[in-house]
């Protein structure tokens, strides 16, 4: 699940050196705890920058802490930021990134001389997010959150740290079927886990009847998986990804099995890396077995061939797509969507 997290110091104005006070410590700690909880649950966080006055670097710190303490896990975090032709070299930088944390950087065209450049980038990121979490924040958070809540985009506004998210809360409250969990003035991992679970439920409710895809791929083909995901999201499809490495000799986690059985199309990015993986063939086998025992989903199991490695015989009758070039891959994805 892609979780877009937006927030900052209350009443933050980009470009101004607003003082960081001791009173802001709970807000930043909440960001770290949310980052940890998102990583622990296999979700991807989408953030915008690295300014210490925003929630973004603290979400990143939470992901980094989780990755260092769980070296067998593979986590993803996405950074969407504005660029234009006069400032094409700008991008947020993060130091000391764990080797098992994959950072995806997405450029959004915007006039970077404009004070509204981040709004433009934020709206581009919102279009592809499964759920929006707001915490603290100033005018950008207010505009984005008000739009999302008014247009029934799954939005979780955390009000206890003030700022624009507290103002958005009443707008989104009608979509909450129960009381929103509290992070508390001293946030804990347990309270952050409850927030993430609540956000997940909002995303599931908001997904509706959109055709969904599960991407099964080797970590070595992560860049190709990123490209496939972007193509499908631009075509309005919901995406699930296995972003958590399964240890050798372990069965697939229950959460992963449930995700496979909840999606409409299972896509295996077949390659030498996939064939050699300790867990990818198990995902493909589970998808095929789910169909044999009469479950409704996945409705389709698809093989995308990234190289010349031959797929196993039991997949001979499956729908196949050539993906050993960018052009063939793009064409194949569009055909998959047309054949839903």
């Amino acid at each position: 699940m892609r979780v877009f997290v937006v927030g900052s110091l209350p009443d933050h104005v980009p470009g101004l050196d607003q003082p960081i006070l001791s009173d802001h410590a709970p807000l930043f700690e909440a960001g770290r705890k949310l980052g940890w909880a998102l990583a622990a649950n296999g979700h991807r966080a989408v953030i915008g920058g690295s300014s210490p006055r925003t929630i973004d670097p603290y979400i990143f710190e939470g992901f980094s802490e989780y990755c260092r303490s769980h070296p067998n896990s593979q986590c993803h975090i996405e950074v969407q930021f504005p660029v234009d032709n006069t400032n094409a070299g700008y991008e947020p930088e993060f130091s000391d990134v764990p080797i098992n944390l994959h950072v995806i950087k997405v450029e959004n065209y915007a006039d970077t001389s404009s004070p509204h450049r981040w709004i433009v980038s934020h709206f581009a990121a919102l279009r592809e997010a499964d759920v929006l979490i707001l915490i603290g924040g100033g005018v950008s958070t207010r505009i984005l959150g008000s739009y999302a809540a008014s247009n029934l985009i799954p939005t979780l506004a955390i009000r206890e740290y003030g700022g624009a998210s507290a103002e958005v809360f009443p707008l989104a409250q009608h979509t909450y079927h129960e009381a929103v969990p509290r992070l508390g003035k001293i946030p804990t991992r347990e309270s952050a886990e409850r927030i993430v679970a609540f956000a997940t439920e909002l995303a599931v409710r908001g997904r509706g009847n959109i055709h969904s895809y599960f991407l099964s791929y080797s970590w070595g083909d992560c860049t190709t998986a990123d490209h496939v995901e972007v193509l499908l999201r631009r075509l309005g499809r919901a995406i699930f990804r296995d972003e958590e490495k399964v240890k050798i000799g372990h069965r697939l986690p229950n959460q992963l099995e449930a995700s496979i059985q909840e999606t409409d199309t299972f896509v295996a990015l077949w390659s030498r890396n996939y064939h050699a993986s300790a867990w990818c063939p198990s995902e493909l086998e589970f998808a095929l077995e789910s169909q044999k025992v009469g479950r409704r989903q996945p409705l389709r199991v698809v093989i995308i061939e990234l190289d010349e490695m031959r797929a196993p015989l039991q997949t001979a009758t499956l729908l196949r797509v050539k993906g050993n070039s960018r052009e063939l891959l793009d064409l194949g994805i569009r055909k998959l969507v047309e054949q839903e």
Side-chain angles (χ1 to χ4, degrees):
M1 184 175 73
R2 179 187 259 127
V3 182
F4 188 19
V5 186
V6 176
S8 63
L9 301 181
D11 302 318
H12 173 60
V13 178
L16 296 183
D17 293 330
Q18 185 177 359
I20 298 176
L21 308 175
S22 59
D23 291 347
H24 297 139
L27 173 66
F28 299 149
E29 187 59 25
R32 293 187 188 93
K33 294 298 191 293
L34 281 174
W36 174 286
L38 289 168
N41 284 276
H43 300 313
R44 181 193 306 182
V46 181
I47 58 176
S50 55
S51 167
R53 292 170 176 79
T54 68
I55 202 67
D56 305 41
Y58 307 101
I59 296 290
F60 194 94
E61 288 177 13
F63 264 77
S64 297
E65 290 171 7
Y66 178 84
C67 287
R68 292 190 187 96
S69 60
H70 296 78
N72 289 324
S73 295
Q74 304 287 358
C75 301
H76 296 65
I77 197 164
E78 185 174 313
V79 187
Q80 295 219 20
F81 53 94
V83 298
D84 65 16
N85 293 333
T86 65
N87 195 17
Y90 170 77
E91 63 181 62
E93 293 295 336
F94 300 92
S95 59
D96 194 24
V97 180
I99 192 170
N100 56 333
L101 177 55
H102 180 50
V103 182
I104 305 164
K105 294 186 177 180
V106 180
E107 298 179 351
N108 294 309
Y109 182 83
D111 179 2
T112 57
S113 66
S114 168
H116 307 297
R117 59 190 179 276
W118 285 105
I119 291 290
V120 174
S121 185
H122 282 353
F123 269 95
L126 178 65
R127 182 179 58 195
E128 299 176 349
D130 295 303
V131 63
L132 172 67
I133 295 181
L134 306 174
I135 181 167
V139 62
S140 296
T141 303
R142 183 178 299 108
I143 293 172
L144 190 74
S146 299
Y147 172 86
S150 299
N151 285 275
L152 301 181
I153 296 172
T155 303
L156 174 54
I158 300 173
R159 54 181 171 169
E160 57 202 285
Y161 304 105
S165 60
E167 300 174 29
V168 173
F169 183 88
L171 298 177
Q173 190 175 12
H174 69 282
T175 66
Y176 306 152
H177 294 181
E178 56 188 286
V180 178
R182 307 289 285 183
L183 270 170
K185 287 299 181 182
I186 304 178
T188 65
R189 287 177 184 168
E190 291 74 18
S191 62
E193 287 272 3
R194 290 192 290 271
I195 287 287
V196 169
F198 191 91
T200 302
E201 181 60 30
L202 287 179
V204 170
R205 291 180 204 152
R207 192 169 287 124
N209 295 320
I210 298 174
H211 195 97
S212 58
Y213 286 76
F214 184 97
L215 298 187
S216 175
Y217 62 97
S218 165
W219 186 254
D221 298 319
C222 199
T223 300
T224 302
D226 294 343
H227 180 66
V228 171
E229 178 180 348
V230 169
L231 289 175
L232 288 170
R233 286 191 179 277
R234 286 177 178 170
L235 293 169
R237 299 318 187 255
I239 309 299
F240 294 85
R241 284 176 64 162
D242 170 17
E243 298 183 331
E244 182 76 14
K245 183 176 179 180
V246 181
K247 294 181 180 179
I248 296 175
H250 287 218
R251 60 160 288 171
L252 296 181
N254 291 336
Q255 182 180 15
L256 187 57
E257 291 182 347
S259 294
I260 292 173
Q261 292 177 334
E262 288 170 3
T263 49
D264 299 305
T265 298
F266 177 95
V267 177
L269 301 186
W270 185 266
S271 67
R272 293 183 180 86
N273 293 328
Y274 196 102
H275 176 71
S277 167
W279 70 94
C280 289
S282 297
E283 295 176 355
L284 176 57
E285 182 179 355
F286 181 79
L288 293 172
E289 287 299 322
S290 294
Q291 289 187 320
K292 286 181 181 179
V293 298
R295 292 183 180 273
R296 191 181 69 84
Q297 290 176 292
L299 300 175
R300 299 186 297 177
V301 177
V302 178
I303 301 290
I304 296 183
E305 300 172 332
L306 302 186
D307 55 31
E308 300 307 314
M309 173 59 67
R310 297 187 65 177
L313 288 176
Q314 65 263 38
T315 67
T317 60
L318 299 180
L319 181 63
R320 293 170 181 266
V321 170
K322 288 292 185 182
N324 50 356
S325 74
R326 184 60 63 91
E327 293 75 18
L328 288 174
L329 186 59
D330 290 7
L331 179 62
I333 293 300
R334 292 187 179 279
K335 285 185 176 180
L336 278 183
V337 171
E338 291 173 358
Q339 295 172 7
E340 288 173 358

